[in-house]
Amino acid sequence: MIPFNKPYLIENEFKYIQDAIDKGILRGDGIYTQKCNSFLEKKLGVKKVLLTHSCTAALEMAAILLDIKDGDEIIMPSYTFVSTANAFVLRGGVPVFVDIKPDTLNIDENLIEQALTPKTKAICVVHYAGISCEMDKILEIAHKHNLYVIEDAAQALGSFYNNKPLGTLGDLACFSFHETKNIISGEGGALIINNEKFIERAEIIREKGTNRSKFFRGEVDKYTWVDIGSSFLPSDIVAAYLYSQLENMDKINNKRMELWNNYNDFFVKYSNRIQIPYIPKNCIHNAHMYYLIFNNLEQRTDFINYMKSYDINLVFHYIPLHSSPAGIKYGKVAGSMNVTDKISDTLVRLPMFYELDFKQQDIIKDMFINFINK
Ligand SMILES: *Cc1c(COP(=O)(O)O)cnc(C)c1O
């Protein structure tokens, strides 16, 4: 049996969790949370990183920081996870869905300007499969129209655009450490603050709307309720697990890249019959996902069922948000969604996790050949 994903231990997870317990701090913002924040700040070369309990939480913080209010519009793809949209809808915002590009499956930067209205407040990009959106063009549009840019970089830790790390390009960026991502802590996330004006308020929002972070640093002599907020911080036990993974980030992503390349060297031979991932020249990706795109829904369903009958688990991906019940109720569609609808019906993700091996990949390749010769 080959699962689609498998959570794993890389090195010192147990040791660090034990150490956190021994040090007697299990709440948020303990020793390991600080270590993770500092690690990411150094690795990405950014001013401020705040660990959260999920990428969803980091997106919700972003929406609060941007002061999203009733009717404010946020440009985003429909082909994404619900949290991208939900975070803004919770503040009264309106997701405005724009179609994706058929090659990278990222938001089509050429369709953004026609979706803008006087109510547009921000562009929320999603770097699908850890492959960057066309950020030069998107940042130029944002600058021209005075819009904020949020990166939903949930899948993109360790990826680059023009040699700049993803997560460092927008005003704010959000990572996920969910067990299905490259670097994991079960549930987990981080908010990256690139626009410095958001730093102070972000600390407050994350600490239930209080200035407790300032109090811990000795900058105020008591802490109090100063703004809206919630509890967005993870327990230090989660951070301890995560720190072991972060220390091994390059090792993890390198191994995934070997697996990704092994898939790609094989499937490229069939690229006249199925579509394989496209990596633009100015992008370095983190081998988050390997997918195949079939010609139609029937073919994809047959393939998933065929593989399933041999205990190989493949999964499809997003159901478009624009045509979902909540998407219809809370969102708006800007233009045709043809590519989104087509990709949603035809894309399948292959098993991809740290402990996958070449032998298992050989089985998957053999079964693929059997399937297409059927
Ligand atoms: C995984 C994912 C999320 C949600 O991450 P959580 O940490 O589970 O909240 C959001 N957006 C995208 C694009 C994702 O892939």
Side-chain angles (χ1 to χ4, degrees):
M1 137 79 170
I2 305 177
F4 168 68
N5 180 58
K6 186 168 168 284
Y8 63 101
L9 295 163
I10 189 78
E11 192 182 7
N12 285 323
E13 284 87 343
F14 280 130
K15 189 175 143 198
Y16 291 165
I17 289 170
Q18 184 65 53
D19 184 50
I21 295 166
D22 292 344
K23 292 214 161 76
I25 308 174
L26 300 185
R27 59 162 166 79
D29 282 336
I31 292 155
Y32 283 96
T33 305
Q34 295 306 333
K35 280 182 191 281
C36 291
N37 290 342
S38 306
F39 179 95
L40 286 167
E41 282 163 7
K42 209 163 144 219
K43 186 87 181 170
L44 300 168
V46 296
K47 277 265 155 53
K48 193 74 183 169
V49 173
L50 293 171
L51 227 54
T52 57
H53 54 69
S54 62
C55 179
T56 301
L59 287 162
E60 288 176 16
M61 284 183 66
I64 297 173
L65 282 167
L66 297 194
D67 262 326
I68 296 300
K69 295 201 172 52
D70 273 345
D72 286 346
E73 295 180 358
I74 303 90
I75 306 287
M76 65 179 67
S78 165
Y79 189 67
T80 181
F81 190 61
V82 289
S83 295
T84 319
N86 242 337
F88 297 98
V89 171
L90 279 166
R91 312 302 316 155
V94 178
V96 176
F97 299 116
V98 168
D99 210 0
I100 52 172
K101 297 166 64 151
D103 52 7
T104 57
L105 318 186
N106 282 326
I107 190 166
D108 190 336
E109 67 277 2
N110 299 311
L111 300 176
I112 291 176
E113 266 187 309
Q114 68 199 42
L116 302 180
T117 75
K119 289 180 174 171
T120 311
K121 191 96 188 254
I123 304 170
C124 187
V125 299
V126 179
H127 304 300
Y128 187 70
I131 298 159
S132 181
C133 298
E134 203 36 76
M135 292 307 290
D136 278 349
K137 178 80 192 283
I138 291 168
L139 291 168
E140 184 192 309
I141 295 168
H143 187 73
K144 185 168 148 200
H145 298 276
N146 205 15
L147 306 171
Y148 290 115
V149 174
I150 313 296
E151 294 175 79
D152 180 340
Q155 305 172 13
L157 182 58
S159 298
F160 296 82
Y161 173 78
N162 287 336
N163 295 317
K164 286 176 262 182
L166 297 192
T168 67
L169 303 168
D171 294 279
L172 299 163
C174 307
F175 288 119
S176 174
F177 306 114
H178 186 265
E179 68 172 25
T180 51
K181 304 303 198 290
N182 291 26
I183 308 296
I184 63 171
S185 60
E187 302 279 351
L191 178 68
I192 314 301
I193 304 166
N194 298 313
N195 184 336
E196 287 177 36
K197 76 171 190 183
F198 291 121
I199 292 179
E200 188 174 334
R201 195 165 172 237
E203 286 186 335
I204 291 168
I205 289 165
R206 179 167 164 276
E207 271 283 17
K208 300 94 179 167
T210 72
N211 56 356
R212 186 162 141 155
S213 299
K214 277 190 165 178
F215 172 71
F216 278 141
R217 285 196 298 264
E219 294 167 23
V220 290
D221 56 14
K222 49 181 176 300
Y223 76 86
T224 185
W225 184 23
V226 293
D227 199 341
I228 61 166
S230 188
S231 184
F232 290 115
L233 60 175
S235 153
D236 220 45
I237 298 179
V238 171
Y241 189 107
L242 180 63
Y243 188 60
S244 172
Q245 294 256 327
L246 286 175
E247 284 185 318
N248 288 284
M249 177 175 150
D250 293 336
K251 181 179 163 191
I252 293 166
N253 283 349
N254 289 342
K255 166 87 192 283
R256 292 181 75 108
M257 192 56 83
E258 280 177 23
L259 297 167
W260 196 97
N261 286 333
N262 189 35
Y263 272 142
N264 201 54
D265 291 344
F266 172 79
F267 286 108
V268 73
K269 292 179 279 190
Y270 298 90
S271 53
N272 56 337
R273 301 175 69 166
I274 42 146
Q275 184 183 329
I276 60 172
Y278 166 71
I279 317 292
K281 288 238 157 25
N282 56 350
C283 295
I284 297 172
H285 71 108
N286 61 353
H288 174 60
M289 190 192 299
Y290 200 87
Y291 61 76
L292 305 175
I293 299 172
F294 284 88
N295 292 325
N296 54 55
L297 176 62
E298 292 71 32
Q299 253 185 24
R300 183 187 69 176
T301 307
D302 286 350
F303 185 56
I304 292 176
N305 290 341
Y306 182 76
M307 298 299 266
K308 181 86 202 149
S309 71
Y310 292 94
D311 257 350
I312 300 168
N313 289 290
L314 314 184
V315 292
F316 52 84
H317 213 180
Y318 304 127
I319 309 296
L321 297 184
H322 71 274
S323 50
S324 67
I328 293 167
K329 188 166 173 197
Y330 298 113
K332 264 175 48 175
V333 173
S336 145
M337 290 287 138
N338 286 344
V339 184
T340 299
D341 289 331
K342 165 94 198 308
I343 294 300
S344 175
D345 276 351
T346 53
L347 179 143
V348 62
R349 296 182 286 161
L350 303 188
M352 174 60 92
F353 49 90
Y354 183 77
E355 290 174 343
L356 186 69
D357 59 39
F358 285 178
K359 272 206 202 103
Q360 290 171 309
Q361 287 187 305
D362 285 344
I363 297 171
I364 295 165
K365 292 177 199 172
D366 286 347
M367 300 316 295
F368 173 81
I369 293 173
N370 291 349
F371 174 77
I372 57 166
N373 289 336
K374 228 175 16 133

